[in-house]
Amino acid sequence: MVNGYPNIKINGTTNGHIHKALETEYGHRYTYELLLETVHYIRNRVSFTPVVGVICGSGLGSLADCLVNPIEIPYSTIPHFPTSTVKGHVGSLVFGHLSGLPTVCMKGRFHYYEGYPLWKCCMPIRVMKLLGVSHLIITNAAGGLNPSYKVGDIMLVKDHINIMGFAGNNPLQGPNDERFGPRFPPMNQAYNRDIIQLAKKVGEDMGVENRIHEGVYTCLGGPNFETVAELNMLKMLGADAVGMSTVHEVITANHCDMEVFAFSLITNECVVQYEANNEPNHEEVIDVGKQREGLLKQLVSELLKRVFENGITSGKIGK
Ligand SMILES: O=P(O)(O)O[C@H]1O[C@H](CO)[C@@H](O)[C@H]1O
Ligand SMILES: Nc1nc2[nH]cnc2c(=O)[nH]1
């Protein structure tokens, strides 16, 4: 310990003085030790080690209903956890078994527009990693930019465009603790390719292959929905769906070497013409989530069963 701060390795040096200075610069981020306190609290309440994590998107909290013998812990009772403030995000961790696998579901996520910095939005991912989670399923509600996408379709995320990152806003910004991951993590294979292939096969077997696409997700800070000009720009950049989450979670999960699978439920078709008079709204987003909950539950349960039957540990080429 130096100056009351753990003498951790930052950028290859171990120096508590540097840590203290950077902490002042970047605010009081979660240290590894602090997150261990959160993990300790949870471990005292859950007797098994989760290997699968699921982040439930807006209106998709019912995915947690698939868990057998659930143990629900409200975020508000967990040390150092932020709290959910958005409708459609209940705000609790639910532990149980999904397709026989020990799982933790985040019933509610944290968004940048709630006022949380990105590193705080992503804190639960590191907690899940420390609890033992190796495979993370990230779900979200998103607007469809690709003209072939219809409301209620599912987009398997094959890649993302980190718009907030272009401006230097990244959950990994600031001192890097190598116990979580490397300073410069690669992101070109951020989404497990084998799990995407398996999900497409599950969709075929369920007879919904025409409602399933593979595409590129992008995240804006929100909370407003986009202007027509912004949406047309995002389309030109190559984005197929737009939301206000997921990208920073994927970055944090890859940083700490988790296998990531993500999908978007297309809850609205983005309005890309000035002549149109329909407007997106959050109620509609939540309603579509409810309408598709049966399909999504079946997809997630069957996919997880097959991921572990097939022993998928890394979808990265050459690993
Ligand atoms: O990404 P999730 O949390 O699913 O929610 C999406 O839906 C909300 C807007 O209706 C935004 O929070 C957007 O990000
Ligand atoms: N940014 C954004 N987020 C969404 N979440 C659900 N629909 C949308 C949308 O159209 N835009």
Side-chain angles (χ1 to χ4, degrees), residues 11-52:
N11 289 342
T13 68
T14 48
N15 191 324
H17 297 284
I18 292 176
H19 185 203
K20 183 169 167 39
L22 287 172
E23 191 173 86
T24 310
E25 179 79 17
Y26 284 99
H28 289 273
R29 288 170 189 246
Y30 296 110
T31 60
Y32 191 91
E33 286 70 20
L34 202 79
L35 293 187
L36 286 181
E37 289 175 20
T38 306
V39 168
H40 182 71
Y41 176 90
I42 294 168
R43 283 215 178 113
N44 278 340
R45 280 151 189 84
V46 182
S47 59
F48 59 86
T49 298
V51 296
V52 175

Side-chain angles (χ1 to χ4, degrees), residues 141-143 225-226 242-244 267-268 270 285:
F225 292 103
E226 296 71 31
V242 57
M244 307 172 198
T267 54
N268 54 291
C270 290
V285 167

Side-chain angles (χ1 to χ4, degrees), residues 57-58 89 109 111 113 139-141 217 225 243-246 282 285:
S58 283
H89 292 264
R109 62 152 55 89
H111 305 85
Y113 61 77
T139 72
N140 63 60
Y217 175 90
F225 292 103
M244 307 172 198
S245 68
T246 301
H282 189 57
V285 167

Side-chain angles (χ1 to χ4, degrees), residues 127-145:
V127 169
M128 286 192 265
K129 172 73 183 185
L130 292 173
L131 282 169
V133 169
S134 55
H135 289 63
L136 186 62
I137 298 189
I138 304 182
T139 72
N140 63 60
L145 287 162

Side-chain angles (χ1 to χ4, degrees), residues 259-301:
E259 296 307 320
V260 174
F261 170 73
F263 68 82
S264 301
L265 175 66
I266 304 301
T267 54
N268 54 291
E269 288 168 32
C270 290
V271 181
V272 292
Q273 277 155 354
Y274 287 103
E275 298 73 37
N277 59 6
N278 50 323
E279 295 179 321
N281 65 79
H282 189 57
E283 276 60 44
E284 169 190 50
V285 167
I286 291 178
D287 283 351
V288 177
K290 285 209 183 82
Q291 286 161 27
R292 300 301 266 174
E293 69 179 29
L295 175 77
L296 298 182
K297 281 177 180 170
Q298 205 185 333
L299 180 80
V300 169
S301 323

